[in-house]
PDB file of all heavy atoms in Angstrom:
ATOM      1  N   LYS A  26      -1.759   5.517  11.601  1.00 98.00           N
ATOM      2  CA  LYS A  26      -2.428   5.971  12.824  1.00 98.00           C
ATOM      3  C   LYS A  26      -1.655   5.515  14.070  1.00 98.00           C
ATOM      4  O   LYS A  26      -1.436   6.312  14.997  1.00 98.00           O
ATOM      5  CB  LYS A  26      -3.859   5.430  12.868  1.00 98.00           C
ATOM      6  CG  LYS A  26      -4.682   5.897  14.070  1.00 98.00           C
ATOM      7  CD  LYS A  26      -6.127   5.462  13.902  1.00 98.00           C
ATOM      8  CE  LYS A  26      -6.990   5.926  15.092  1.00 98.00           C
ATOM      9  NZ  LYS A  26      -6.741   5.127  16.295  1.00 98.00           N
ATOM     10  N   ALA A  52     -20.692  14.690   0.662  1.00 98.00           N
ATOM     11  CA  ALA A  52     -20.380  14.331   2.048  1.00 98.00           C
ATOM     12  C   ALA A  52     -18.907  14.583   2.363  1.00 98.00           C
ATOM     13  O   ALA A  52     -18.566  15.066   3.454  1.00 98.00           O
ATOM     14  CB  ALA A  52     -20.743  12.867   2.297  1.00 98.00           C
ATOM     15  N   GLU A  55     -18.324  18.346   2.672  1.00 98.00           N
ATOM     16  CA  GLU A  55     -18.843  18.844   3.944  1.00 98.00           C
ATOM     17  C   GLU A  55     -17.914  18.467   5.093  1.00 98.00           C
ATOM     18  O   GLU A  55     -17.664  19.276   5.999  1.00 98.00           O
ATOM     19  CB  GLU A  55     -20.245  18.276   4.196  1.00 98.00           C
ATOM     20  CG  GLU A  55     -20.890  18.789   5.468  1.00 98.00           C
ATOM     21  CD  GLU A  55     -22.271  18.202   5.696  1.00 98.00           C
ATOM     22  OE1 GLU A  55     -22.672  17.280   4.949  1.00 98.00           O
ATOM     23  OE2 GLU A  55     -22.948  18.659   6.642  1.00 98.00           O
ATOM     24  N   VAL A  65      -3.233  15.583   5.380  1.00 98.00           N
ATOM     25  CA  VAL A  65      -4.042  14.445   4.949  1.00 98.00           C
ATOM     26  C   VAL A  65      -3.138  13.322   4.465  1.00 98.00           C
ATOM     27  O   VAL A  65      -2.251  13.535   3.625  1.00 98.00           O
ATOM     28  CB  VAL A  65      -5.010  14.837   3.812  1.00 98.00           C
ATOM     29  CG1 VAL A  65      -5.764  13.612   3.302  1.00 98.00           C
ATOM     30  CG2 VAL A  65      -5.988  15.910   4.277  1.00 98.00           C
ATOM     31  N   ASP A 102      -9.745  22.511  -2.159  1.00 98.00           N
ATOM     32  CA  ASP A 102     -10.742  23.563  -1.936  1.00 98.00           C
ATOM     33  C   ASP A 102     -10.681  24.147  -0.523  1.00 98.00           C
ATOM     34  O   ASP A 102     -11.079  25.301  -0.314  1.00 98.00           O
ATOM     35  CB  ASP A 102     -12.146  23.019  -2.194  1.00 98.00           C
ATOM     36  CG  ASP A 102     -12.392  22.737  -3.680  1.00 98.00           C
ATOM     37  OD1 ASP A 102     -11.654  23.284  -4.517  1.00 98.00           O
ATOM     38  OD2 ASP A 102     -13.326  21.969  -3.983  1.00 98.00           O
ATOM     39  N   THR A 132       6.354   4.483 -19.341  1.00 98.00           N
ATOM     40  CA  THR A 132       7.300   4.175 -20.424  1.00 98.00           C
ATOM     41  C   THR A 132       7.002   2.830 -21.084  1.00 98.00           C
ATOM     42  O   THR A 132       7.759   2.412 -21.952  1.00 98.00           O
ATOM     43  CB  THR A 132       8.747   4.161 -19.892  1.00 98.00           C
ATOM     44  OG1 THR A 132       8.860   3.173 -18.861  1.00 98.00           O
ATOM     45  CG2 THR A 132       9.147   5.519 -19.357  1.00 98.00           C
ATOM     46  N   GLY A 133       5.929   2.158 -20.686  1.00 97.00           N
ATOM     47  CA  GLY A 133       5.590   0.864 -21.273  1.00 97.00           C
ATOM     48  C   GLY A 133       4.220   0.404 -20.832  1.00 97.00           C
ATOM     49  O   GLY A 133       3.517   1.091 -20.081  1.00 97.00           O
ATOM     50  N   THR A 277       3.396  -9.775 -13.076  1.00 80.00           N
ATOM     51  CA  THR A 277       4.655  -9.170 -13.501  1.00 80.00           C
ATOM     52  C   THR A 277       5.842 -10.066 -13.132  1.00 80.00           C
ATOM     53  O   THR A 277       5.887 -10.590 -12.022  1.00 80.00           O
ATOM     54  CB  THR A 277       4.825  -7.792 -12.812  1.00 80.00           C
ATOM     55  OG1 THR A 277       3.698  -6.983 -13.133  1.00 80.00           O
ATOM     56  CG2 THR A 277       6.089  -7.107 -13.258  1.00 80.00           C
TER      57      THR A 277
END
Side-chain angles (χ1 to χ4, degrees):
K26 183 172 180 286
E55 183 180 8
V65 175
D102 290 341
T132 59
T277 303

